[in-house]
Amino acid sequence: EIRHPGATSDYLCFETSSLKRKLCTPNFLAQGLVLFGDNAYVDSECMVSPFKSPKIELGEDDFNFFHSQLRINVECAFGMLVHRWGILRRPLSAKFGIQKTTALVMALCRLHNYCINQRIDLSEPLEDDVAYNISQGGFELEATHGDSI
């Protein structure tokens, strides 16, 4: 859902979202599962954020370290997706709709996992990468079976 302008804080957007209401519904998330947010978020039934003033003797500093490592890995995964799939390098139009946006992102995640599982090099765009081809001037059209272009 899009309720707030782009400059609105992540915290406010999450706090007022139907996603938060759904995630915080009892038994929606499996026992022991939560989201990990950064310092902008507040702990809740479904969100864990780092300690503000960690006490080393209580292990809070260690918790913050591992919490940070988890978030870094998630951000790196998003970075790989954006690098691989050029369509994610710019905002998607709101006219695209949430269902199509969700389907697109899920498809790109599945394709990304396929590329990893098949050991397809993700450092360079594939020849058939549509976003790459368009950025290079588009596709060369070929006539087939006597069709004219």
Side-chain angles (χ1 to χ4, degrees):
E1 66 196 323
I2 301 171
R3 291 186 179 182
H4 302 284
T8 305
S9 72
D10 292 344
Y11 169 75
L12 179 61
C13 289
F14 181 70
E15 282 297 307
T16 59
S17 71
S18 60
L19 174 63
K20 184 195 181 208
R21 286 189 294 282
K22 185 176 261 188
L23 288 170
C24 289
T25 301
N27 301 317
F28 180 79
L29 291 173
Q31 183 75 22
L33 294 183
V34 293
L35 298 176
F36 284 78
D38 61 22
N39 290 335
Y41 295 91
V42 176
D43 288 346
S44 68
E45 307 85 31
C46 60
M47 176 74 70
V48 175
S49 61
F51 289 98
K52 304 269 189 259
S53 300
K55 296 180 178 73
I56 295 173
E57 63 276 4
L58 298 179
E60 294 173 351
D61 192 48
D62 292 339
F63 174 85
N64 280 2
F65 172 77
F66 289 110
H67 185 279
S68 172
Q69 292 301 302
L70 175 65
R71 288 190 356 263
I72 288 169
N73 283 327
V74 170
E75 288 178 19
C76 285
F78 278 106
M80 287 188 284
L81 281 169
V82 169
H83 173 76
R84 180 69 202 102
W85 310 109
I87 194 170
L88 299 175
R89 292 188 193 121
R90 57 197 169 282
L92 296 172
S93 170
K95 294 177 186 173
F96 200 52
I98 193 70
Q99 289 180 329
K100 285 183 182 176
T101 300
T102 302
L104 171 68
V105 172
M106 292 302 295
L108 294 177
C109 287
R110 288 182 177 122
L111 287 168
H112 179 74
N113 288 341
Y114 174 81
C115 290
I116 290 172
N117 292 339
Q118 297 299 312
R119 301 195 190 305
I120 297 171
D121 182 15
L122 298 177
S123 62
E124 294 294 324
L126 298 174
E127 288 180 30
D128 296 325
D129 184 347
V130 173
Y132 175 76
N133 285 330
I134 291 172
S135 72
Q136 299 303 308
F139 295 96
E140 184 176 317
L141 299 177
E142 298 176 15
T144 58
H145 305 297
D147 295 337
S148 59
I149 299 180

